[in-house]
Amino acid sequence: MRRTDSQNAAPREITATVGALATPALLLDKDRLDRNLARLSSRMAAAGVVLRPHMKTAKSIEVAQRAYPSGPGPITVSTLAEAEYFAQYGFRDVTYAVGVAPHTAERAMRLRKAGVDLKVLLDSPEQAAMLGTAARAAGVTPSAFIEIDCDGHRGGLTATDPKLIAVAAALAEAGVTLAGILTHAGESYSLCSSDALVAAAENERAVAVAAAETLRAAGHECPVVSVGSTPTAHFAEGLTGVTEMRAGVYMFFDLVMHGVGVCTTDDIAISVLATVIGTKPEKGWILVDAGWMALSRDRGTAAQRVDQGYGLVCDLSGQLYPNLIVAQASQEHGILAIRSRSAAALPHIPIGAKVRILPNHACATASQHELYNVISAGSDAIEAQWPRMRGW
Amino acid sequence: MRRTDSQNAAPREITATVGALATPALLLDKDRLDRNLARLSSRMAAAGVVLRPHMKTAKSIEVAQRAYPSGPGPITVSTLAEAEYFAQYGFRDVTYAVGVAPHTAERAMRLRKAGVDLKVLLDSPEQAAMLGTAARAAGVTPSAFIEIDCDGHRGGLTATDPKLIAVAAALAEAGVTLAGILTHAGESYSLCSSDALVAAAENERAVAVAAAETLRAAGHECPVVSVGSTPTAHFAEGLTGVTEMRAGVYMFFDLVMHGVGVCTTDDIAISVLATVIGTKPEKGWILVDAGWMALSRDRGTAAQRVDQGYGLVCDLSGQLYPNLIVAQASQEHGILAIRSRSAAALPHIPIGAKVRILPNHACATASQHELYNVISAGSDAIEAQWPRMRGW
């Protein structure tokens, strides 16, 4: 079996089984990936809403092609490096969902000049003017979303903010096409009951639609009403007035999403393979060679009802050890221990044995690795290695 | 000015000033780096102790050459990928300071076969036997340190553990040379008074020397007594019996080390350059394009007396804004705010303006970047770009 490499480097022989892989290493279960992709795409198809997957989680052309087996479709990105990377593989309908600044406006306009239908995001007249300047310099017509704040999470304007009309006017004055409005229910990550998630999804929808209606009432066309977060995408009971859904972590899922209640641990498609390098039974510890460099420093579950430490530990086949977590992490060391207030016994895992660790936050853990070692459920074979892109 | 690239890629033109650099980007002040390097090397020279810098922080040949301007010297590494990387540039006296497992033993022995004086670390008879097996297969004589636990931080044996003699005997039986003992006062990172740091350094020294004496009394040669952590390296008042000091983060320093009391903010050599992409004065927020992907998820100062959020914010010239921190971070967004319980006013920093963020943990923040943009104090020029290695 040979390495697939999107960068067209020379293929090379790779380890053929998980058990023989050097550690730490990132595993991706493609059956779980496919199931997660199908779950949300069929849900959005039933709702008649365009799904625009966020590629910031996977950052992999092979994963994008898995989401779009019949050819490139609309995507969301978090960096212009992602936009440039996916564009070279034919993904040309791209929304850059981070507020635009002068240097990114110029770079985004170069991509538009190259034929990429790249939409940018902003929430101020200053950004509209900057974008207009960059677009005139590049000789292109830009397209931008106005960012709406639906839950106080981050940036954007509230649906009732008078600045909303001022920004739309500034876009018109700067010669920028208004693509529509875009919002993200980021606060939904802190919820854990289905009632609260259904309510967060309805709030995200209602605020987005109200903002679009405000713009339309002022005479601005607002074709796209874009919403999205993995929790609200899976709990929305109605999407009337919404035209587009964005989500990213749903492809892989993780322990934070499990804590929110969007997935089971059996849905989590990535795990970090590690090797036992020491045992301290007198302390209730097992040391492994996966520390924060392999797992990331993300402690997203610390704020949830069940704190998973730096991750939940499974055996080589992916079966969970009861209540065994990565209790501590330094750069290249992880300390496995039974979670506090559990009566479970520390399993005997000898030095040299391998374990698999389910991550708190898939976006953060995957970003610590160069590539995905692709596996299928119930098989020890590594079927491919899919590179990840990185940087800005 | 052209890019220096240790990987011998074709040089390329790079941005010549910090102000014109695309963000987020990692900056390295080489004057601060040189001052930090000189501070510890002169301290160790005065103590008559070999300094074996830990390269896990910088992961850069240019930084290693800065530490050793007159040619390669002894180094410590946290991965075998680091050992292989630095060896190709002539650094052949290397200690791999993470417990050895079967797959790393084989790879380490291949490096020894290639002429690298690579020492490994272990604390069990099982590891000694594994190492012996790998060494016989490679036809080399291995050298190993026994890991000593001086403060309960992680792995290793206590100086009084009867297993200490058993491991030394297992090494002899397996044909492994005992390089010496190695310990790391990892708990010193949680201290913040000079008295406590002096005591931690003396404990680290005393435990290391006691372990070495126990081995010697049992007839085992124990030539090297290796200790080290950045805090204890700087606070040790005596190093009698110690032959070698290891430290890594001292090269760059960071806000955690500032909280411990080892450095001032003016000693911190790396910072993340970011651009303002939004302002929310009504919330007391300024949004920048550096989130956890650029800063890391490390929140090491959360456990200290002063919580620095995801970092302290400086202007483009490196001057601190009073009490302005990165209060929240998502993947590509940072939210700047005045720290709680401060009366300081939110500064006006317009969209498009650049700031510099001092990191909680230099090892974690630097690992999020491909290269260092090298600057000098008081200059806006980027003098070089130094690549970082990564992976395992």
Side-chain angles (χ1 to χ4, degrees), chain B residues 92 106-118 135-141:
Chain B
R92 300 185 152 256
E106 290 169 16
R107 190 170 162 192
M109 294 306 97
R110 287 197 293 274
L111 271 169
R112 268 189 95 77
K113 187 82 173 178
V116 179
D117 179 17
L118 182 71
R136 281 189 297 279
V140 296
T141 302

Side-chain angles (χ1 to χ4, degrees), chain B residues 169-190:
Chain B
L171 288 171
E173 191 183 334
V176 179
T177 303
L178 176 61
I181 63 92
L182 181 150
T183 195
H184 166 61
E187 291 301 300
S188 66
Y189 289 75
S190 65

Side-chain angles (χ1 to χ4, degrees), chain A residues 23 56 103 127 149 152 154 156 277 280 283 285 292 297-298 330-332 367-368 370 390 392, chain B residues 23 56 103 127 149 152 154 156 277 280 283 285 292 297-298 330-332 364 367-368 370 390 392:
Chain A
T23 56
K56 78 184 183 73
H103 68 289
Q127 287 166 299
D149 176 3
R154 200 162 57 199
I277 60 171
K280 296 265 155 243
K283 290 177 166 180
W285 288 358
W292 59 253
R297 266 291 190 205
D298 197 284
S330 45
Q331 188 160 337
E332 299 293 348
S367 76
Q368 301 297 104
E370 299 288 344
R390 69 192 298 249
W392 291 275
Chain B
T23 56
K56 77 183 184 74
H103 69 289
Q127 286 165 299
D149 176 3
R154 200 161 59 199
I277 59 172
K280 295 266 157 246
K283 290 178 167 180
W285 288 357
W292 59 254
R297 265 292 190 204
D298 198 284
S330 45
Q331 187 161 338
E332 300 292 350
S367 75
Q368 301 298 105
E370 299 288 344
R390 71 192 297 248
W392 291 276

Side-chain angles (χ1 to χ4, degrees), chain A residues 51-334:
Chain A
L51 177 60
R52 182 181 288 275
H54 205 315
M55 294 300 165
K56 78 184 183 73
T57 304
K59 297 199 179 205
S60 154
I61 184 58
E62 286 85 358
V63 172
Q65 289 164 343
R66 206 94 191 163
Y68 286 111
S70 54
I75 61 172
T76 312
V77 298
S78 68
T79 67
L80 288 177
E82 287 169 49
E84 291 158 356
Y85 167 82
F86 287 104
Q88 72 179 299
Y89 298 106
F91 286 84
R92 300 185 155 257
D93 176 1
V94 182
T95 297
Y96 170 47
V98 174
V100 73
H103 68 289
T104 46
E106 289 168 17
R107 191 170 162 192
M109 293 307 97
R110 287 196 294 273
L111 271 169
R112 267 188 96 75
K113 187 82 173 178
V116 179
D117 179 16
L118 181 72
K119 279 79 63 176
V120 300
L121 185 65
L122 49 75
D123 68 356
S124 69
E126 302 94 301
Q127 287 166 299
M130 287 169 184
L131 185 57
T133 303
R136 282 187 297 278
V140 295
T141 301
S143 178
F145 284 94
I146 299 176
E147 183 174 13
I148 302 300
D149 176 3
C150 67
D151 61 6
H153 180 65
R154 200 162 57 199
L157 304 171
T158 61
T160 56
D161 191 325
K163 281 199 225 115
L164 182 54
I165 301 299
V167 174
L171 288 172
E173 190 183 337
V176 179
T177 303
L178 176 60
I181 64 90
L182 181 151
T183 194
H184 168 60
E187 291 300 301
S188 66
Y189 288 75
S190 64
L191 305 174
C192 59
S193 81
S194 47
D195 287 355
L197 288 159
V198 168
E202 173 52 22
N203 173 72
E204 183 183 41
R205 183 204 70 81
V207 172
V209 171
E213 288 308 325
T214 300
L215 289 166
R216 290 164 184 155
H220 298 282
E221 277 190 32
C222 185
V224 179
V225 178
S226 180
V227 303
S229 77
T230 286
T232 53
H234 290 77
F235 279 84
E237 292 187 342
L239 289 168
T240 307
V242 168
T243 68
E244 176 179 282
M245 178 67 69
R246 306 177 327 278
V249 76
Y250 78 98
M251 297 181 186
F252 295 164
F253 283 128
D254 54 30
L255 292 170
V256 167
M257 287 299 111
H258 171 255
V260 170
V262 191
C263 67
T264 69
T265 55
D266 289 341
D267 296 323
I268 300 175
I270 64 168
S271 58
V272 173
L273 186 71
T275 301
V276 173
I277 60 171
T279 59
K280 296 265 155 243
E282 69 280 12
K283 290 177 166 180
W285 288 358
I286 296 167
L287 274 64
V288 297
D289 64 356
W292 59 253
M293 188 66 81
L295 299 170
S296 93
R297 266 291 190 205
D298 197 284
R299 288 281 291 106
T301 58
Q304 296 186 319
R305 284 182 299 192
V306 177
D307 184 342
Q308 309 284 16
Y310 284 92
L312 267 179
V313 185
C314 309
D315 65 18
L316 193 53
S317 73
Q319 291 297 309
L320 283 168
Y321 287 107
N323 293 298
L324 186 64
I325 64 171
V326 183
Q328 299 177 49
S330 45
Q331 188 160 337
E332 299 293 348
H333 295 82

Side-chain angles (χ1 to χ4, degrees), chain B residues 22-43:
Chain B
T23 56
L26 184 62
L27 303 180
L28 170 56
D29 181 325
K30 76 177 189 349
D31 298 329
R32 292 182 178 192
L33 167 65
D34 289 344
R35 194 170 71 215
N36 297 339
L37 290 169
R39 178 180 168 196
L40 190 58
S41 59
S42 58
R43 182 172 161 76

Side-chain angles (χ1 to χ4, degrees), chain B residues 239-257:
Chain B
L239 289 168
T240 307
V242 167
T243 69
E244 176 179 283
M245 179 66 70
R246 306 177 328 279
V249 76
Y250 78 98
M251 297 181 186
F252 294 164
F253 283 127
D254 54 30
L255 292 171
V256 167
M257 287 299 112

Side-chain angles (χ1 to χ4, degrees), chain B residues 259-293:
Chain B
V260 170
V262 190
C263 68
T264 69
T265 54
D266 289 341
D267 295 324
I268 300 175
I270 64 168
S271 58
V272 173
L273 187 71
T275 300
V276 173
I277 59 172
T279 58
K280 295 266 157 246
E282 69 281 11
K283 290 178 167 180
W285 288 357
I286 296 167
L287 274 64
V288 297
D289 64 355
W292 59 254
M293 189 65 82

